[in-house]
Amino acid sequence: MLLSDHSRRGLVDRIAIRLPTICVRPGRPNLAASGFFSSIIREPLNGRDAVLPVSTDVRHWFASPRSTIGFLLHAATLDTHRAAVAAA
């Protein structure tokens, strides 16, 4: 909230991004709540069965580590001044 308020006042230049679950995490499954999403992809690639602990109608947004880097680089190059002028 502080960043939003300072950005609105023109004291700082900022951008907020919302990242998805990052799949596929290497290594063994962990206890992260979203860890099973990585398992759904990773385990069959390793010849193992994967357990889906949620309903098959669940929809979830996820991305690869490479795509996530692309998201961050894109956000870093956005012209926030132009967006602020357009919003005013």
Side-chain angles (χ1 to χ4, degrees):
M1 288 176 50
L2 183 63
L3 283 175
S4 293
D5 188 46
H6 280 33
S7 177
R8 181 181 50 79
R9 293 180 185 190
L11 301 173
V12 296
D13 185 21
R14 64 111 187 167
I15 189 166
I17 60 173
R18 188 172 180 182
L19 293 174
T21 298
I22 312 305
C23 294
V24 170
R25 295 182 190 116
R28 297 178 48 91
N30 60 32
L31 299 177
S34 62
F36 72 89
F37 286 110
S38 289
S39 293
I40 295 301
I41 297 171
R42 180 186 52 241
E43 298 308 315
L45 291 174
N46 291 324
R48 298 188 188 110
D49 289 336
V51 176
L52 181 63
V54 296
S55 171
T56 57
D57 63 343
V58 168
R59 300 295 177 250
H60 188 75
W61 182 39
F62 64 93
S64 69
R66 179 173 291 157
S67 293
T68 303
I69 291 170
F71 302 153
L72 294 171
L73 292 173
H74 175 71
T77 62
L78 290 175
D79 185 355
T80 56
H81 175 71
R82 194 172 104 199
V85 171

